[in-house]
Every structure is written in C-alpha cells, then in structure tokens.
Amino acid sequence: MSSPSSPINKETMDASAAHLLTLGIAFITLVASIFKLATRRPCDRRKTPIKVSDASIARIALIDHADAFCNRPMPAFPAGRPVTHSIASMPYGPLWRALRCNLTSDMLNRSRLGILTSLEKEADAALVTNLSSLTCSDDVAVRNVLHSGVFALVSRLCFGEDGMDACDLSTLMKMQQEFFSSYVKVKQASERSWLTKLLHWRQRRLQTGMFDRIDEVFIPAIVAIRRRRLCQQDDNCNGGFRSYLDSLIELNVPDQEDGEHARRSRLLTDKEIAFLAWEFLGAGISGTVTSLEWTLAHLAVQPEIQNKLHDELAGDHASDVLRLPYLHAVVLESLRMHPPLPFASRQVVTAEGITAALGESSSVMIPPGGAAVSFVLGDIGRDGKVWTNPDEFRPERFMEGGEGEGVSLVPGPKEIKMMPFGVGRRHCLGVGMGMAHIKCFLAELVREFRWLLASPDDGGGNGGVDFTELDGFIKWMKTPLRVRITPRAR
Ligand code: HEM
C-alpha cells in the first residue's frame, strides 16, 4: 500500500482533481448552452423586423421601391398552413394577382353598390334593434353587439343568402371572437423561446384546433353550394348577387407550378376556399368593428363633436352618407389615431439599391441579405412633424383648409401623411368596402342614439374610457368600451 504522501498517490489525486474540474466545466457549459437555447427567441434567428415610423422613409420604400417591398414575411401563424391559403400571406405572383383581382373586380366592385346598400341598410336596422334593447342599462359593453352587427352583413356577402345555416354561422362568429382574443396570447408566445412555447402549449393547441374547425365548418358549406350551383346554373339564384364563396368556387387560377407566366389553370381546392373565406370574414369584420369602437369612444368623451356629427346626419343632404364631409372627417381622424392594424409588414430579399436611397436620410439599414420591415401605422399617423397636437381627436383637421384636407386613404407617390390601409403593391384592397361599412354603421348609430359616458364623474379625465391600445395583431381598445346609450328624440 502506498503512503498518503507518496508521489504516485499525489499524482493520482492531481489527475482526479483535474478530471473533476474538467467534468465540472463541461457540466456548467452544458447547462449554460441548454439555458441559452431554451431562452433564445426565434426572432434572434429570423432577425427582429426593422421598424419604420417615418412617413417619408415609408414613401421611399413602399412607393419608389415598390417591387422590392412586395412580399410579406412568413406569418408566425397559422402554424403548419401553406402561405398560399390567404391573399395577405401569399407571395407576389400570378396566383396572388388572380385572387386579388377576383376580390376587387367581383366582391368589392363599386357597381355592386346598389345591392350592397340594401344589405347595409338591413344590417344597420338589425344593429339598432339590438342596441335599443340595451338603452335601459347604465353600462353597455358595445364591442360584441357591434361584432354581431358587422358579422351579419359580411357573412351574407361571403356566403350569400343560402350559403350557411344559422347554427354554423353562430359557431363561426364565436370562433372569430375566440380567435381575435386568443391571437394576442399566441402571438406573444410565438415570439418567445421554445421553453415558453412549451408552457403555452394549451394556447397553441387552441389555435391549431381552430384551423381544423375552419375546415370542418366551411368545407360542408362549400360542397353544398357547389352542388346547388350545379343544379341552378343561375347567377341570380342567390338573392340577386354573387357571394364571395360563389366567385371562389368558379374561379380559375393559374397553376403556380408554371411560374410567373403560368398557362395552365386550375380550380381552387376546398381547403384553399375555406381559408380564403375565413380571411374575408376576418379582414372585413375586424377593421370595421375596431374602428367603430374607437370612434364611439371619442364621441362619448367629446359630446360637442358627436352633436356636430348628429347635426350633419339630420341635415337635408344626409341620405348619401358616403359623401358627408364631417362624417368622412370623423372616420379619418379615428383611423389616423387608431389604425386597426398596427403594421404593414414586408420581407425584402436584397438591400440592392434600397440602402442607398434610404440610408442617407435615415437610420434604416437593410442588411445585404434582406430583412423583415414593419411600417408602424400608428406612429406614422401621429407624427408630430406632420400633425399639430397629434394625440388630440380633432376631425376638423380633415375639413376645408385643415392640414389633412384632401389626404388620400391609400397615399399616392407625392406624400404620405397617414396609411391606415397600407401603401404600395400590397395595400388593402377592401378600403372602399371598409370605409362604406364604417360610415353606414356609424351614421345610423349616431342618428339613433346619444352616446354617453358610463361613469362621467370618475375623475379619470375621460369618464372611465381607457384609450390604451391592446398590443396585438389588431389594435383593439385594451379595456373594451362601456357606455350609456339613450335613444334620440325624433
Ligand atoms: C377599416 C377596415 C380595414 C382596414 C383598416 C384595413 C387595413 C389593412 C391593412 C393595413 C393592410 C396591409 C396593407 C399593406 O401591407 O400595405 C390590409 C391588407 C388587406 N386587407 Fe384590409 N383593411 C380593412 C378592411 C378590409 C376589407 C373590408 C377587406 C376585404 C373584404 C380587406 C382585405 C384585405 C386583404 C385581402 C389584404 C391583403 C392584401 C395583400 O396582401 O395583397 N380589408 N388591410
């Protein structure tokens, strides 16, 4: 046996200590790497989008370099769905063009206005009836009532009179409400590490399940409409107008596999139609409801503006609501301050020619390999260099002689002052329909009711109305609006 002080024993001990030290370092490195991997945000890999809040930079990018800014980044959601399932996420190209063209030339065509107006009138009347039953309460939460009013109109445009039974429609409306509220949570979860994602598995499952349910609800309706159309062979079978679903069922689209100059064409699959119809409902409803809620909040807080609007609506020329100047100004002011969509997002694949154009005047640098760019619509509408007291709700700025006179809803090449419907190749194609719906509903709501603060004496400055925005995919009011409504004397 060797003694404790023998050189061999000392060497063995030194070797064991070195081994232990190495093992310790390896273990610490391993734990640190796992921790780093677990807490790494996906955007570290995909690069955080470059944010642009300056209107002049937005103009150079989206108008002068429209070709480079014509695609969107891969959407964080729906996970696992091909991007070709919605116009908004589809790459710029023949299929995108065909679907966009179908929507603008068919559903959103102004010559259809006659039929739209009668549908809008019915929807307005139904909304007024629903609200009338709430006039006795002190405190009405308006968002869900607005949502069901707008849903009734847009779902008729989407499915037609005979497209979907009442039970499926009510399921769809609930799904949409769930989707709007859960999207915020899922969006936040999708931006975090996989560890956080794991913890939010229930929310992600809810969203994935939602897309399976879309197929379950839509596909039987699509099959039934196809069958009916085959028997009827008649465009007027649907109460005199072609629904969006009808147009999608009949549409021939270029076969994407043929590339830019596709010659072959094909019909859309049921799955594609289902998601396009879901997109139509979402886009057609969310912007209108959000904008109505914000506008009513401002009108309740500033009764002098509400009275001025009511005077215009009670005037001699009030039958053509789309042309009333003060109503137009109120809606624009609301969209300037609260664009319902927070961003116009783009994916730029190369910096060639762009960095030089932007770089001299700004801090926006597109890396050579390209980047995702988010144009912050709320910041652009509230730019203090363009608007006086930008945080003040003052529709007069859009009237004759005001700084916003003649501002275009989708800005042209000259100047951008606000862009609630985006700009460039991917600007919103529903701008006409969105504006018409907001104006028709708002006109009826102000004509019929007085919008009052639910708690005028709470001392908070805005009578209990909280103007904080929800940080999500859609800029809802963080605290849903609660007001008191009374019928106006006729
Ligand atoms: C107040 C109402 C609305 C607002 C504020 C709004 C806003 C927007 C915005 C900001 C964009 C992105 C534009 C860009 O990236 O440059 C967009 C895109 C889009 N909007 Fe709207 N929208 C509204 C109503 C509608 C309606 C009624 C429809 C159709 C039914 C619609 C369909 C679409 C579609 C399909 C896109 C994607 C366009 C593309 O990528 O080519 N929107 N919208």
Side-chain angles (χ1 to χ4, degrees), residues 125-140 145 449 485-487:
L127 180 56
V128 168
T129 311
N130 282 347
L131 281 168
S132 298
S133 63
L134 301 172
T135 49
C136 317
S137 350
D138 286 346
D139 190 358
V140 179
V145 190
F449 304 105
I485 47 178
T486 59

Coordinates of all heavy atoms in Angstrom, one line a residue, residues 125-140 145 449 485-487:
A125 N -80.3 48.4 -39.5 CA -81.5 48.3 -38.8 C -81.5 47.2 -37.7 O -81.9 47.4 -36.6 CB -82.7 48.0 -39.8
A126 N -80.9 46.1 -38.0 CA -80.8 45.0 -37.0 C -79.9 45.4 -35.9 O -80.2 45.1 -34.7 CB -80.2 43.8 -37.7
L127 N -78.8 46.1 -36.2 CA -77.9 46.6 -35.1 C -78.6 47.6 -34.2 O -78.5 47.5 -32.9 CB -76.6 47.2 -35.7 CG -75.6 47.8 -34.7 CD1 -75.2 46.7 -33.7 CD2 -74.4 48.3 -35.4
V128 N -79.4 48.5 -34.8 CA -80.2 49.5 -34.0 C -81.2 48.8 -33.1 O -81.3 49.1 -31.9 CB -80.9 50.5 -34.9 CG1 -81.9 51.3 -34.1 CG2 -79.8 51.4 -35.6
T129 N -81.8 47.7 -33.6 CA -82.8 47.0 -32.8 C -82.1 46.3 -31.6 O -82.6 46.4 -30.5 CB -83.5 45.9 -33.7 OG1 -83.9 46.5 -34.9 CG2 -84.6 45.2 -32.9
N130 N -80.9 45.7 -31.9 CA -80.2 45.1 -30.8 C -79.8 46.1 -29.7 O -79.9 45.8 -28.5 CB -78.9 44.4 -31.3 CG -79.2 43.1 -32.0 OD1 -80.3 42.6 -31.8 ND2 -78.3 42.6 -32.7
L131 N -79.3 47.3 -30.2 CA -78.9 48.3 -29.2 C -80.1 48.9 -28.4 O -80.0 49.2 -27.3 CB -78.1 49.4 -29.9 CG -76.6 49.0 -30.2 CD1 -76.0 50.0 -31.2 CD2 -75.8 48.9 -28.9
S132 N -81.2 49.0 -29.1 CA -82.4 49.6 -28.5 C -82.8 48.8 -27.2 O -83.2 49.4 -26.2 CB -83.6 49.6 -29.4 OG -83.3 50.4 -30.5
S133 N -82.6 47.5 -27.2 CA -83.0 46.7 -26.1 C -82.0 47.0 -24.9 O -82.2 46.5 -23.8 CB -83.0 45.2 -26.4 OG -81.7 44.9 -26.8
L134 N -80.9 47.7 -25.2 CA -79.9 47.9 -24.1 C -79.9 49.3 -23.5 O -79.1 49.7 -22.7 CB -78.5 47.6 -24.6 CG -78.2 46.2 -25.2 CD1 -76.9 46.1 -25.9 CD2 -78.3 45.2 -24.0
T135 N -80.9 50.1 -24.1 CA -80.9 51.6 -23.7 C -81.2 51.8 -22.2 O -81.0 52.8 -21.7 CB -81.8 52.4 -24.6 OG1 -83.0 51.8 -24.6 CG2 -81.2 52.6 -26.0
C136 N -81.9 50.8 -21.6 CA -82.2 51.0 -20.1 C -81.0 50.7 -19.2 O -81.0 51.2 -18.1 CB -83.3 50.0 -19.7 SG -84.6 49.8 -20.9
S137 N -80.0 50.0 -19.7 CA -78.9 49.7 -18.8 C -78.0 51.0 -18.7 O -77.9 51.8 -19.6 CB -78.0 48.6 -19.4 OG -78.6 47.9 -20.4
D138 N -77.3 51.0 -17.5 CA -76.4 52.2 -17.3 C -75.1 52.0 -18.0 O -74.4 52.9 -18.3 CB -76.1 52.2 -15.8 CG -77.3 52.7 -15.0 OD1 -78.2 53.3 -15.7 OD2 -77.3 52.6 -13.8
D139 N -74.7 50.8 -18.3 CA -73.4 50.5 -18.7 C -73.4 49.4 -19.8 O -73.6 48.2 -19.5 CB -72.7 50.0 -17.4 CG -71.2 49.8 -17.6 OD1 -70.7 50.1 -18.6 OD2 -70.6 49.5 -16.6
V140 N -73.2 49.7 -21.1 CA -73.3 48.8 -22.1 C -71.9 48.5 -22.7 O -71.2 49.4 -23.1 CB -74.2 49.3 -23.3 CG1 -74.3 48.3 -24.4 CG2 -75.6 49.6 -22.7
V145 N -71.8 43.6 -29.5 CA -73.0 44.0 -30.2 C -72.6 44.5 -31.6 O -73.2 44.1 -32.6 CB -73.8 45.1 -29.5 CG1 -75.2 45.3 -30.1 CG2 -74.0 44.8 -28.0
F449 N -78.9 57.2 -31.6 CA -78.6 57.2 -30.1 C -77.7 58.3 -29.7 O -76.9 58.8 -30.5 CB -78.0 55.9 -29.7 CG -78.7 54.6 -30.0 CD1 -78.3 53.8 -31.1 CD2 -79.9 54.3 -29.3 CE1 -79.0 52.6 -31.4 CE2 -80.6 53.1 -29.6 CZ -80.2 52.3 -30.7
I485 N -76.2 54.4 -23.5 CA -76.8 55.0 -24.7 C -78.3 55.3 -24.5 O -79.0 54.5 -23.8 CB -76.7 54.0 -25.9 CG1 -77.1 52.6 -25.5 CG2 -75.3 54.0 -26.5 CD1 -77.0 51.6 -26.7
T486 N -78.7 56.4 -25.0 CA -80.2 56.7 -24.9 C -80.7 57.0 -26.3 O -79.9 57.6 -27.1 CB -80.4 58.0 -24.0 OG1 -79.7 59.1 -24.6 CG2 -79.9 57.8 -22.6
P487 N -81.9 56.7 -26.6 CA -82.5 56.9 -27.9 C -82.6 58.5 -28.1 O -82.9 59.2 -27.2 CB -83.9 56.3 -27.9 CG -84.0 55.6 -26.6 CD -82.9 56.0 -25.7

